[in-house]
């Protein structure tokens, strides 16, 4: 069996490594140059994500390129402490708490590891369309005019997936959440967070978080209400993003303002979309995984971990279930509920991030109670999810 994987982001190379472990060959086709530009947002990879990587022995390389933030401190915009929590108690395995790194770095590390294992990861290949072949496989066409054939096509092509639209021409499109995230990297900042700690500020008009790397840089992000359309956002400069972020934190205690001001041009803004449910994850020998199948807004910080879990479970299904279409059906049965629960959880968390004034009072009163046992324990189904690579997957249950 040979799989064509579209997308060399988080799920693409990981799926390729999992398939290889299952005895299935594949190649990854990525629209952009492999290795990325080193810019963009950073993310927290919680232990269920690291656990998924452990299933394909790729956790160590990510561990080496990331740092930990196993403490969280919550405060109001006025500087009032709401709660301090540890995230590294009662962990799944040897990996304590979330690991922090840029998303582009995570993709690079995973692609490099896949290449090291002999898997082709080809950059500059934008997938355009797919058609069934006479032998029941699939032929994928790219924007450079090339066509490649395989037994199945895996769409790991992210939120604006082309594969999703081929599986189902009526597939719902991701919806703009009305929220933008601005992310910045400050050198020699006047404010730093303690080692291993992420500080989160529930401000008057924005949710702001920051942490300091072992090298001394301070990374921050802020959730702000979206004001502009896609075209304006694409044309927004780092300076303008900083300006928008500054407006939103102006009424708070000055920590966020100082950090934004200390940031040079290493600052990006991203429009946030989500996709609550995709009716069809697979058709014939084609399937979508990760953000292409289910996109959660980043509020719960789990989209990448969920994409990594998908990668492993898909490979297990193809390893154990006889017939590609049955394997894809089983994959969807195993993953849909969990993935959609994450999208719903993230949507609820967004309401806490940028509330109306009255809701803000209620939020500041309720948060310490909600976080009584620590944020992770508030959602153990999310972070304590373990995948046992050796566990055998059974055939799909009949009907949905
Ligand atoms: C601001 C922000 C913060 C986030 N924070 C977190 C966090 O803290 N923790 C967490 O777990 N998750 C976080 N996420 C979510 C996480 O980034 C995504 O869920 C994750 O990247 C999804 O992985 P994926 O492989 O499905 O898609 P992606 O990583 O998006 O990869 C898709 C790849 O497909 C490529 N591609 C697209 N179209 C084509 C095509 N036609 N042909 C070929 N290639 C194509 C793209 O270039 C891309 O490389 C965050 C997201 C955002 C926006």
């Amino acid at each position: 069996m040979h799989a064509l994987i579209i997308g060399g982001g988080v799920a693409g190379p990981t799926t390729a490594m999992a398939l290889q472990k299952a005895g299935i060959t594949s190649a990854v086709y990525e629209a952009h140059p492999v290795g990325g530009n080193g810019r963009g947002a950073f993310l927290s990879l919680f232990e269920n994500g690291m656990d998924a990587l452990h299933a394909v022995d790729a956790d160590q390389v990510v561990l080496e390129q990331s740092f930990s933030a196993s403490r969280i401190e919550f405060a109001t915009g006025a500087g009032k402490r709401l709660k301090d929590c540890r995230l590294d108690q009662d962990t799944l395995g040897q990996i304590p708490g979330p690991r922090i790194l840029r998303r582009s770095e995570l993709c690079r590390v995973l692609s490099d590891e896949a290449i090291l294992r002999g898997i082709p990861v080809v950059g500059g290949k934008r997938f355009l369309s797919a058609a069934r072949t006479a032998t029941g496989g699939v032929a994928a066409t790219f924007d450079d005019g090339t066509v490649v054939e395989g037994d199945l096509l895996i769409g790991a092509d992210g939120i604006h997936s082309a594969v999703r639209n081929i599986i189902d021409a009526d597939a719902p499109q991701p919806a703009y959440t009305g929220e933008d995230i601005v992310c910045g990297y400050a050198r020699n900042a006047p404010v730093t967070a303690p080692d291993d700690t992420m500080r989160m500020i529930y401000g008057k008009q924005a949710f702001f978080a920051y942490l300091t790397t072992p090298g001394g840089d301070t990374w921050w992000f802020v959730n702000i209400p979206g004001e502009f359309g896609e075209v304006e956002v694409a044309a927004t400069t780092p300076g303008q993003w900083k300006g928008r972020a500054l407006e939103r934190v102006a009424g708070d205690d000055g920590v966020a303002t100082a950090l934004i001001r200390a940031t040079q041009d290493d600052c990006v803004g991203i429009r946030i979309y989500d996709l609550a449910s995709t009716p069809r994850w697979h058709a014939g020998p084609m399937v979508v995984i990760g953000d292409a199948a289910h996109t959660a807004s980043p509020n719960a910080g789990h989209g990448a971990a969920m994409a990594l879990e998908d990668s492993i479970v898909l490979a297990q299904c193809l390893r154990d279930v006889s017939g590609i279409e049955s394997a894809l059906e089983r994959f969807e049965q195993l993953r849909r509920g969990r993935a959609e629960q994450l999208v719903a959880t993230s949507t609820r968390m967004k309401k806490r991030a940028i509330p109306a004034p009255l809701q803000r009072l209620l939020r500041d009163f309720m948060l310490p109670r909600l976080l009584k046992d620590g944020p992770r324990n508030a959602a153990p189904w999310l972070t304590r999810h373990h995948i046992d690579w050796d566990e055998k997957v059974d055939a799909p249950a009949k009907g949905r």
Side-chain angles (χ1 to χ4, degrees), residues 308-384:
L308 292 168
E309 289 182 15
D310 277 1
S311 302
I312 309 306
V313 176
L314 176 63
Q316 287 178 308
C317 291
L318 288 160
R319 176 193 67 189
D320 296 342
V321 177
S322 122
I324 289 174
E325 293 187 31
S326 297
L328 302 185
E329 176 64 15
R330 187 66 184 128
F331 165 71
E332 182 179 337
Q333 285 172 359
L334 289 170
R335 297 295 301 161
R336 180 183 280 280
R338 181 168 166 76
E340 292 185 354
Q341 196 179 348
L342 170 66
V343 182
T345 302
S346 245
T347 304
R348 277 199 304 278
M349 289 174 79
K350 172 183 172 264
K351 292 185 186 136
R352 266 187 238 157
I354 314 176
L358 259 182
Q359 287 167 325
R360 194 193 325 136
L361 287 176
L362 185 66
R363 175 199 71 186
D364 295 351
F365 174 74
M366 286 304 293
L367 265 177
R369 289 153 186 85
L370 281 172
L371 299 170
K372 192 161 60 69
D373 299 324
R376 199 183 58 146
N377 295 352
W381 63 273
L382 203 45
T383 45
R384 287 196 204 150

Side-chain angles (χ1 to χ4, degrees), residues 175-373:
Y176 178 50
T177 60
E179 179 188 32
D180 297 344
I181 291 187
V182 187
C183 207
Y185 303 85
R187 290 248 154 104
N188 306 317
V191 185
T192 53
D195 278 357
D196 201 20
T197 301
M198 183 171 302
R199 284 194 164 149
M200 298 189 162
I201 301 171
Y202 286 95
K204 282 195 179 130
Q205 295 188 74
F207 172 76
F208 186 90
Y210 67 101
L211 77 184
T212 300
T213 69
D217 294 347
T218 297
W219 296 5
W220 56 265
F221 70 83
V222 59
N223 295 39
I224 60 174
E227 292 170 49
F228 302 103
E230 191 117 24
V231 177
E232 291 97 326
V233 163
T236 305
T237 63
Q240 288 166 330
W241 279 118
K242 283 198 296 176
R244 284 185 59 194
L246 282 168
E247 277 172 29
R248 291 289 160 178
V249 299
D252 296 333
D253 67 356
V255 168
T257 301
L259 282 171
I260 297 168
R261 288 218 173 107
T263 305
Q264 303 296 307
D265 269 359
D266 201 355
C267 170
V268 288
I270 299 165
R271 265 165 83 84
I272 301 301
Y273 293 82
D274 70 9
L275 182 56
S277 184
T278 301
R280 300 189 68 184
W281 283 22
H282 64 95
M286 295 185 282
V287 65
V288 278
I289 65 172
D291 273 14
H294 45 77
T295 309
S297 64
N299 298 292
H302 255 83
M306 208 48 84
L308 292 168
E309 289 182 15
D310 277 1
S311 302
I312 309 306
V313 176
L314 176 63
Q316 287 178 308
C317 291
L318 288 160
R319 176 193 67 189
D320 296 342
V321 177
S322 122
I324 289 174
E325 293 187 31
S326 297
L328 302 185
E329 176 64 15
R330 187 66 184 128
F331 165 71
E332 182 179 337
Q333 285 172 359
L334 289 170
R335 297 295 301 161
R336 180 183 280 280
R338 181 168 166 76
E340 292 185 354
Q341 196 179 348
L342 170 66
V343 182
T345 302
S346 245
T347 304
R348 277 199 304 278
M349 289 174 79
K350 172 183 172 264
K351 292 185 186 136
R352 266 187 238 157
I354 314 176
L358 259 182
Q359 287 167 325
R360 194 193 325 136
L361 287 176
L362 185 66
R363 175 199 71 186
D364 295 351
F365 174 74
M366 286 304 293
L367 265 177
R369 289 153 186 85
L370 281 172
L371 299 170
K372 192 161 60 69
D373 299 324

Side-chain angles (χ1 to χ4, degrees), residues 6-12 29-32 41-45 103 107 125-128 156-160 162 181 270 272 289-292 298 301-305 307:
I6 308 302
V10 176
Y29 300 95
E30 165 56 43
H32 296 106
F42 62 91
L43 50 77
S44 314
L45 198 54
R103 178 193 158 277
C107 301
K125 285 276 201 193
R126 181 166 290 279
F127 165 82
L128 292 182
D157 50 345
I159 183 165
H160 300 293
I181 291 187
I270 299 165
I272 301 301
I289 65 172
D291 273 14
H302 255 83

